[in-house]
Amino acid sequence: MKTRLCFFDDYYIAARPGTVRRMFRPQKLGEFHDGTDRLQTYTSFFFDPRVEKYRLYYEVPKRGTGTEVRELILAQADCVEDLINQKAELIPVSGLDENGIHGCSVMWDERTGEYLLAGNFHANDRQKRRMFTARSKDGISFFDMRCLYEDYSDTYNSLYYNPHLGEYVITMRAAVMDRRIAVMRSKDFLTWSDPEMILHPTAANGEGMQYYALGVSETEGVFYGLLWRFMTDIGQADFSDMCGYMENDLYYSYDGIHFCSTGLSPVAERPLPPEYGCSQLWLLNACNTRDGRTILCGGASRIAHGSSYPNDDKFCNTVFYEIPKDGFVALEGFGKSSIVYTKPILMERDEIFLNYNATRGELSVAILEVDGTPIEGYGFEDCIPMVERSVNAPVCWRKDERRESLAGKRVRLAFRLNSALLWTVSFDGKPYLKKIQKSFFDARAEFDAR
């Protein structure tokens, strides 16, 4: 089973002498303007293999309806920079509710060959507002709209597929003013579970802090969660709409349901006024590009949430941030004594791939018996030193006729970081402590190891 380990924590590390953990923040790449004076918010951004283009879905207010009742627009281009440079093709999305939508997300589903959508009806009559789903063959014309929840989420409803559980998942708020994160699940995109709360703010998060939404993206086995942290003022007793600023924290998950904080809080700094994002920065989507970057996409506002909206100013726009692929956290070593040892794993294939930077140093890999004894042919001296920068480089070994396959063997991996950084390790394998676990995202034992 393909596994990609990031190093946000030490859970699968046995020891790492002489190393430090470094956190990195993405940098702003640019903004997307659609050429109108309407605000842009609630995005879905991904690479679409069907059309070989990057697709950006975003919401704009329907004219004459205020800011909350919206329609969906598709912008597509060959690269992210074309979106920023206004070289995108703009296509209105059809087939959705004529009364307006709110908080929609779109995904490409390779299993069915369709585009799937989850969001809210936003009718002027509050009693008619509901969460719904829809499907499309081309991502432009949607059909088969179905009510999935007899209430209104009033936030971004992040739709994604969880390949580990074989389920479609939507993150949402289960009630209009309930600022907690819940999920709804479905095996067939037709029948959905009741909302299940997964994240709840505590007093340690700060007085008045609320969770507004959680945008989730699955990137090659790792789920990135971009949590909106809404800081409100609870010092007023007039019971009016809360006003405050908004930032993102980065969360991650291996199973797509249970999310852990990475410590990147905020994941990106709000800029100074009058730039977009100075008051609210809400990133929603994480997309790994073909050129080795992780792009974060979302909305950015120049006014505080809950404050009055200026009629003559476009205060909300779409922004892109970039970082090298999975480049949020790395383990860094400074000499030959800087080594990272994993806990025991069961190797299913021999290949190991690294996302690393050793342009001013050297990185070597060793494969050990569980007791730490080097396996013949797989010692540090047998590894061809890795001295470049790559997001997916195979580990190569010197020619040795005695070397045996690692498939089916219980081992530890060791990485010597001599002035090098290690971001991720990809391989086919499972945890094998006392028993073989089903996977890195499912701790149940597969069978007794005897």
Side-chain angles (χ1 to χ4, degrees):
M1 179 171 291
K2 180 64 71 175
T3 295
R4 184 162 59 99
L5 292 182
C6 302
F7 296 108
F8 294 116
D9 57 50
D10 296 329
Y11 191 70
Y12 290 109
I13 295 175
R16 54 180 187 91
T19 64
V20 297
R21 176 177 280 106
R22 290 186 63 184
M23 309 293 283
F24 302 89
R25 283 186 167 85
Q27 301 301 308
K28 188 173 182 179
L29 179 61
E31 300 171 358
F32 166 72
H33 300 269
D34 67 1
T36 71
D37 59 355
R38 292 187 289 180
L39 66 90
Q40 301 162 199
T41 186
Y42 286 156
T43 62
S44 298
F45 175 69
F46 55 90
F47 177 74
D48 186 343
R50 175 180 166 272
V51 297
E52 290 289 312
K53 292 181 182 293
Y54 290 93
R55 282 190 153 179
L56 169 68
Y57 291 87
Y58 62 99
E59 296 178 13
V60 296
K62 297 188 72 173
R63 296 193 184 278
T65 61
T67 62
E68 297 301 306
V69 182
R70 302 169 187 160
E71 58 188 348
L72 196 62
I73 306 293
L74 165 63
Q76 61 182 21
D78 293 329
C79 63
V80 186
E81 283 72 17
D82 283 350
L83 289 167
I84 294 171
N85 296 325
Q86 300 188 47
K87 296 180 180 179
E89 178 185 8
L90 302 183
I91 307 170
V93 173
S94 63
L96 301 179
D97 188 66
E98 294 182 357
N99 291 317
I101 51 90
H102 187 98
C104 290
S105 64
V106 181
M107 62 168 282
W108 159 253
D109 184 18
E110 62 181 11
R111 289 151 295 278
T112 63
E114 292 182 324
Y115 299 84
L116 306 178
L117 179 149
N120 293 308
F121 294 126
H122 199 296
N124 289 325
D125 182 354
R126 295 185 68 90
Q127 300 302 316
K128 295 181 179 179
R129 298 179 184 180
R130 300 286 187 271
M131 287 185 64
F132 75 100
T133 59
R135 298 183 293 133
S136 173
K137 295 296 184 183
D138 58 6
I140 300 172
S141 300
F142 281 83
F143 62 94
D144 192 28
M145 292 198 305
R146 298 170 180 259
C147 178
L148 66 93
Y149 182 55
E150 292 292 335
D151 210 333
Y152 180 68
S153 177
D154 193 32
T155 187
Y156 181 72
N157 302 281
S158 183
L159 171 65
Y160 58 99
Y161 183 74
N162 187 326
H164 309 317
L165 303 177
E167 295 178 337
Y168 299 96
V169 184
I170 299 173
T171 65
M172 44 84 75
R173 290 207 311 257
V176 173
M177 292 302 292
D178 185 1
R179 301 297 170 91
R180 302 177 295 176
I181 305 301
V183 295
M184 299 178 68
R185 310 189 205 182
S186 175
K187 292 286 187 182
D188 55 9
F189 205 67
L190 298 174
T191 304
W192 292 83
S193 68
D194 291 331
E196 170 192 355
M197 190 183 70
I198 61 169
L199 288 176
H200 187 299
T202 69
N205 297 124
E207 291 184 1
M209 200 275 281
Q210 315 253 341
Y211 289 166
Y212 199 89
L214 178 70
V216 177
S217 302
E218 191 267 335
T219 60
E220 303 170 35
V222 175
F223 296 82
Y224 287 129
L226 292 162
L227 179 68
W228 300 19
R229 178 162 42 82
F230 180 27
M231 303 302 297
T232 67
D233 179 10
I234 58 173
Q236 303 298 320
D238 58 1
F239 307 109
S240 61
D241 289 340
M242 290 173 289
C243 183
Y245 67 91
M246 194 176 293
E247 294 178 327
N248 280 114
D249 292 347
L250 181 65
Y251 279 61
Y252 76 102
S253 172
Y254 286 121
D255 68 1
I257 297 294
H258 304 95
F259 285 84
C260 299
S261 174
T262 65
L264 270 174
S265 176
V267 64
E269 297 285 352
R270 287 182 292 125
L272 293 175
E275 291 189 46
Y276 286 104
C278 61
S279 292
Q280 299 180 69
L281 180 61
W282 61 85
L283 301 172
L284 290 167
N285 323 120
C287 172
N288 285 346
T289 66
R290 292 178 292 179
D291 59 0
R293 295 179 292 170
T294 296
I295 301 293
L296 304 184
C297 175
S301 175
R302 299 192 286 193
I303 67 171
H305 189 81
S307 63
S308 59
Y309 295 154
N311 296 323
D312 58 348
D313 184 27
K314 180 180 179 181
F315 57 86
C316 183
N317 209 2
T318 302
V319 292
F320 294 97
Y321 282 70
E322 68 172 346
I323 197 169
K325 183 180 178 182
D326 297 319
F328 300 103
V329 62
L331 297 180
E332 183 177 23
F334 304 97
K336 291 187 176 181
S337 60
S338 300
I339 303 177
V340 179
Y341 301 92
T342 70
K343 294 179 180 178
I345 59 175
L346 175 70
M347 293 294 293
E348 296 179 331
R349 298 182 65 183
D350 290 348
E351 293 91 349
I352 303 172
F353 298 88
L354 304 184
N355 181 352
Y356 77 103
N357 188 335
T359 52
R360 288 297 181 266
E362 179 180 289
L363 191 154
S364 300
V365 181
I367 302 177
L368 316 174
E369 301 283 1
V370 174
D371 63 2
T373 304
I375 297 175
E376 187 172 4
Y378 291 101
F380 285 126
E381 67 282 359
D382 301 302
C383 177
I384 297 176
M386 307 177 76
V387 295
E388 302 294 338
R389 169 72 177 105
S390 176
V391 298
N392 194 39
V395 177
C396 298
W397 310 92
R398 304 184 194 280
K399 186 176 181 180
D400 188 340
E401 301 298 335
R402 299 166 296 176
R403 185 179 297 115
E404 298 180 357
S405 173
L406 297 172
K409 189 172 180 61
R410 185 184 181 207
V411 302
R412 295 181 189 268
L413 304 181
F415 308 93
R416 185 165 64 193
L417 309 178
N418 188 356
S419 296
L421 295 111
L422 177 62
W423 271 274
T424 64
V425 180
S426 301
F427 58 92
D428 286 272
K430 302 176 182 178
Y432 189 163
L433 306 179
K434 297 300 182 182
K435 297 180 179 180
I436 302 174
Q437 293 179 200
K438 287 183 176 293
S439 65
F440 276 86
F441 50 83
D442 190 338
R444 291 174 294 180
E446 188 170 84
F447 53 81
D448 287 340
R450 292 189 174 93

